[in-house]
Amino acid sequence: MAYIGRDPQYGAFEKQALTADGSTTTFTLDYTVGSASSLLVSVAGVHQEPETAYNLGSNGTTIVFTAAPASGDTVFVIFLGAALEIATVGSGVITSRTELSAAAAADDLVLIYDTSATSLKKIQRSNLSDLLVDTTPQLGGNLDVNGNDIVSTSNAHIDIIPNGTGNVNLGTDTVQIGDNNANATLTTQGTGDLILNTNSGTNAGNITLEDGANGHIQVTTNGTGYIKFNDLAYIPQQALTSSSNAVAWDVQAKPNAYHLTTENTTFAAPTNSVEGSFISLEINYDGAHTIAFNTVFEFAASTAPTFTSTDGKTDILVFRYNGAIWQEVGRTLNLSES
């Protein structure tokens, strides 16, 4: 009898008979197949629809019926792709495989389509670059966060570390730091000073916060530049108290001081004096108390003034330190408190 159609290209089709008992749904196949559509299945003379009446199991080594064939039914399978797997890969090739429950091992193989060779190839997972396993990942282009954030977990820091002498450049007009409505801290990492300047330090003044105990804060202009205060320059007033008829004065902590008298007292030699610095003192008399000063205070004509020492009156004095003594710059005595 003549044959109509394309010549067979895969040789003879293999057949396997299955023994039905009315309860068994899973049968082991004689051949491993990659797709349910690679089988022609007949139950009691009725052809069965792939992936509806049956599916593959155990990576293509078993056939699993949706309903168990009845006992005594004639059941057989013809392997359409037994001699040679067909060129088209069915969905069952993927869905019927056992899923990994953990990350793939470095030597596991992955199928990949080589567009230049127009063919499938296998590759070891260790040769695939991804952010989870690549310890030195590199971007092939700009990283677009697409409106999302870069967030760490478990209270971990986010470090941005350039290589060598590289810098971190923030190409924006405004940089915001700190959580919403929370105080923000800008600090160095380690023992370096914190320096604020313009134009990478070229022809720029700077503000330097020196690191270390008792570190200074320096404000330096460039060239003939000056420090300009567009608003009131304010040095908070700090109180000095008398104990055992003596007043101790840390002029670094309290350069603008006032003293409300409680007893006859003497102002001791100040501590933490710095050459060229100015201090001011308001004496507010809460009684007719007498006032005296240590000899490190030098008054005009080397003579201390006669202080008011009258309840409800105020004396104001200003001094400058020359590296050895505090020289009087100015005085205003016998002022009313109100």
Side-chain angles (χ1 to χ4, degrees), residues 233-284:
Y234 169 57
I235 300 176
Q237 182 176 262
Q238 303 273 7
L240 300 177
T241 58
S242 177
S243 177
S244 300
N245 303 106
V247 175
W249 191 358
D250 180 351
V251 293
Q252 187 275 337
K254 300 178 179 181
N256 182 21
Y258 76 95
H259 173 62
L260 179 65
T261 65
T262 57
E263 61 181 352
N264 298 334
T265 192
T266 298
F267 283 82
T271 57
N272 295 320
S273 301
V274 178
E275 185 174 2
S277 59
F278 288 81
I279 58 175
S280 66
L281 172 64
E282 174 190 333
I283 305 172
N284 189 329

Side-chain angles (χ1 to χ4, degrees), residues 1 12 22 24 27-28 50 93 96 102-103 123 145-146 155 165-166 203 278:
M1 181 176 179
T24 302
F27 299 86
T28 300
V93 174
S96 65
I123 181 173
V145 297
N146 194 28
N155 299 316
T165 58
N203 294 327
F278 288 81

Side-chain angles (χ1 to χ4, degrees), residues 16-292:
Q16 177 183 348
L18 304 178
T19 301
D21 57 11
S23 60
T24 302
T25 57
T26 302
F27 299 86
T28 300
L29 296 172
D30 290 343
Y31 301 95
T32 300
V33 294
S35 169
S37 299
S38 296
L39 300 176
L40 181 63
V41 181
S42 174
V43 176
V46 178
H47 289 278
Q48 305 297 301
E49 182 179 355
E51 298 177 359
T52 299
Y54 66 91
N55 281 287
L56 297 179
S58 301
N59 298 328
T61 61
T62 62
I63 182 172
V64 182
F65 287 94
T66 303
S71 177
D73 282 352
T74 301
V75 182
F76 63 86
V77 175
I78 295 178
F79 296 88
L80 300 178
L84 180 66
E85 182 61 68
I86 59 176
T88 301
V89 178
S91 60
V93 174
I94 303 298
T95 58
S96 65
R97 297 295 185 254
T98 301
E99 183 178 349
L100 287 175
S101 60
D107 59 351
D108 282 352
L109 298 177
V110 179
L111 280 177
I112 191 170
Y113 184 75
D114 186 343
T115 55
S116 60
T118 63
S119 65
L120 286 173
K121 293 184 179 180
K122 60 185 178 180
I123 181 173
Q124 281 194 355
R125 188 205 61 81
S126 59
N127 291 326
L128 293 174
S129 296
D130 61 68
L131 294 178
L132 293 178
V133 298
D134 190 351
T135 58
T136 57
Q138 294 181 336
L139 296 176
N142 294 333
L143 175 62
D144 185 355
V145 297
N146 194 28
N148 296 309
D149 299 324
I150 299 175
V151 181
S152 66
T153 60
S154 303
N155 299 316
H157 301 307
I158 297 176
D159 296 328
I160 301 177
I161 304 175
N163 177 261
T165 58
N167 297 317
V168 176
N169 298 321
L170 302 177
T172 181
D173 296 332
T174 302
V175 176
Q176 296 180 344
I177 62 174
D179 296 330
N180 289 337
N181 304 319
N183 294 333
T185 300
L186 183 65
T187 182
T188 61
Q189 182 173 263
T191 59
D193 296 343
L194 181 62
I195 301 173
L196 177 65
N197 59 31
T198 63
N199 199 22
S200 300
T202 302
N203 294 327
N206 66 73
I207 299 175
T208 301
L209 280 67
E210 296 181 356
D211 178 71
N214 304 316
H216 304 304
I217 297 177
Q218 300 184 26
V219 181
T220 306
T221 63
N222 177 259
T224 58
Y226 51 84
I227 299 172
K228 179 182 178 182
F229 295 91
N230 289 320
D231 297 294
L232 175 68
Y234 169 57
I235 300 176
Q237 182 176 262
Q238 303 273 7
L240 300 177
T241 58
S242 177
S243 177
S244 300
N245 303 106
V247 175
W249 191 358
D250 180 351
V251 293
Q252 187 275 337
K254 300 178 179 181
N256 182 21
Y258 76 95
H259 173 62
L260 179 65
T261 65
T262 57
E263 61 181 352
N264 298 334
T265 192
T266 298
F267 283 82
T271 57
N272 295 320
S273 301
V274 178
E275 185 174 2
S277 59
F278 288 81
I279 58 175
S280 66
L281 172 64
E282 174 190 333
I283 305 172
N284 189 329
Y285 297 97
D286 191 19
H289 301 120
T290 61
I291 297 294

Side-chain angles (χ1 to χ4, degrees), residues 281 283 308 314-318 328 330-335:
L281 172 64
I283 305 172
T308 304
T314 297
D315 293 336
I316 297 178
L317 304 167
V318 178
E328 183 185 22
R331 72 176 76 160
T332 305
L333 306 179
N334 197 21
L335 296 171

